[in-house]
Amino acid sequence: MTAPALTGRAGGPDDAVAGVVPREVVRPGTVEEAAGVVRAAAADGRTVVPVGGRSKLTWAAPPESCDLLLDLTGLDRVVEHVAGDLTVVAEAGVRLADLQAQVGRAGQLLGLDPPEEGATLGGVVSANASGPRRLRYGTTRDLLIGITVVLADGTVAHAGGKVVKNVAGYDLGKLFTGAHGTLGVVVSTTWRLHPVPPARRVVTLELPDAAAAGPLSIALARSTLTPSAVELVGTAGGGARLVVLFESIAESVAGQATAALALLGGGEESEDLPEDFGRRPGGADDVLLRLAYAPASLAAALEALPAGTAVAAHAATGVTYAALPAGEAVEALPRLRAALAPHDGTAVVLRAPDAVRDRLDHWGPVGDSLDLMRRVKERFDPERRMSPGRFVGGL
């Protein structure tokens, strides 16, 4: 029997990407179908925006147009898990939580823990999303060892491999990580896994001033301790809680927790993580920002924020998520970016209410790298049909 032709449906408000409603939505079920859809769109000159679990659609700027929304949730197969090699191959539409459950049965994990519910592997790669354990395991770029993508003309391209030591073509994976669909479509991923640690201990310290976490996180980084995460949750200019997570064999985590209590000058020790561990701050009425800066500049980053701003920081890696009230964000954001600049800092808008979204500069100052990024965009998508305008500098 001949397989039925892949058809789409009309886009509607529920399909909108940062307020832009697509004309059509197509959900392929295989890599070959995805390539065929992109190839047909190229022939017609239509713009394409790929999506997965839709948990991070606001993390990039609104697209200039969206003729075709490519829903990748139909690419949901875990193709191969080689436990002995600590690798797994999975399609872009596989949910991260489902992958963790499957490899977890073999006592393994993918060292990525972004908190967005329903996140898919393709979306994690495209947004370069990560969570608290990035301190121990690294980010998407560190754990992604192979990738399959559909280029703007519908060509299927591969890079990397299934073996951790095979890095051939890895630069292609790095290029597509964090590109928000502007270079092509991620359709399959290959990951390096790690064993699940057998034990954990958690040290928490209440701070009257969140900025006090700055020197403490520096002291932890300079020590011989090896925490999986150092997280700060609280408010700028106000109180906060520092959480230090140790994961290893029982003897190691017990000794490290004791040493951490001494280094921090107090705190409490337990086996349980706080309920808000790793969550992004704020709610739907706030403007959520991701601040990145030199890791030693945590205190300066917190002091640059308006007093009372809810924050959640990866305290030892130079990343803070901040929730500004929408009414303050338009005026506060330029000042914040100016204050972060001396610390190699940036502030990117991840989410904003409709009322202020179009009044905010999503990415902020670009710097000297824009010309290089333009050349890369020209090489991969010369007709600017893949998620046009979503990336830095309107790429």
Side-chain angles (χ1 to χ4, degrees), residues 243-254:
V243 179
V244 186
L245 170 64
F246 297 100
E247 297 175 310
S248 184
I249 61 174
E251 295 82 359
S252 174
V253 297

Side-chain angles (χ1 to χ4, degrees), residues 127-214:
N128 193 20
S130 59
R133 289 175 177 84
R134 60 180 287 159
L135 177 62
R136 174 171 181 167
Y137 297 111
T139 63
T140 300
R141 284 188 173 93
D142 301 302
L143 297 171
L144 183 71
I145 60 173
I147 192 170
T148 300
V149 300
V150 176
L151 303 178
D153 63 357
T155 301
V156 178
H158 310 272
K162 294 187 294 183
V163 181
V164 172
K165 292 184 180 179
N166 180 358
V167 295
Y170 189 67
D171 284 348
L172 184 61
K174 288 182 178 179
L175 280 176
F176 274 74
T177 299
H180 293 279
T182 57
L183 300 179
V185 183
V186 178
V187 291
S188 184
T189 55
T190 304
W191 302 93
R192 174 188 180 186
L193 302 175
H194 288 83
V196 174
R200 76 179 181 194
R201 299 297 293 177
V202 180
V203 172
T204 59
L205 177 66
E206 299 295 332
L207 300 172
D209 182 2

Side-chain angles (χ1 to χ4, degrees), residues 295-321:
S297 298
L298 172 62
L302 294 173
E303 290 166 356
L305 289 163
T309 301
V311 297
H314 305 323
T317 58
V319 176
T320 292
Y321 296 88

Side-chain angles (χ1 to χ4, degrees), residues 192-338:
R192 174 188 180 186
L193 302 175
H194 288 83
V196 174
R200 76 179 181 194
R201 299 297 293 177
V202 180
V203 172
T204 59
L205 177 66
E206 299 295 332
L207 300 172
D209 182 2
L216 293 177
S217 64
I218 293 173
L220 285 166
R222 292 176 175 173
S223 74
T224 58
L225 301 178
T226 56
S228 291
V230 179
E231 293 292 292
L232 181 72
V233 177
T235 58
R241 180 179 64 247
L242 189 67
V243 179
V244 186
L245 170 64
F246 297 100
E247 297 175 310
S248 184
I249 61 174
E251 295 82 359
S252 174
V253 297
Q256 291 201 73
T258 298
L261 289 169
L263 186 151
L264 297 174
E268 297 183 355
E269 178 186 349
S270 72
E271 295 183 354
D272 300 321
L273 286 167
E275 290 187 3
D276 57 0
F277 180 79
R279 294 181 185 174
R280 315 295 188 202
D285 294 333
D286 296 315
V287 174
L288 178 64
L289 305 176
R290 180 181 60 215
L291 316 183
Y293 44 86
S297 298
L298 172 62
L302 294 173
E303 290 166 356
L305 289 163
T309 301
V311 297
H314 305 323
T317 58
V319 176
T320 292
Y321 296 88
L324 291 178
E328 301 177 14
V330 174
E331 293 186 0
L333 185 54
R335 294 197 298 266
L336 174 61
R337 284 170 169 156

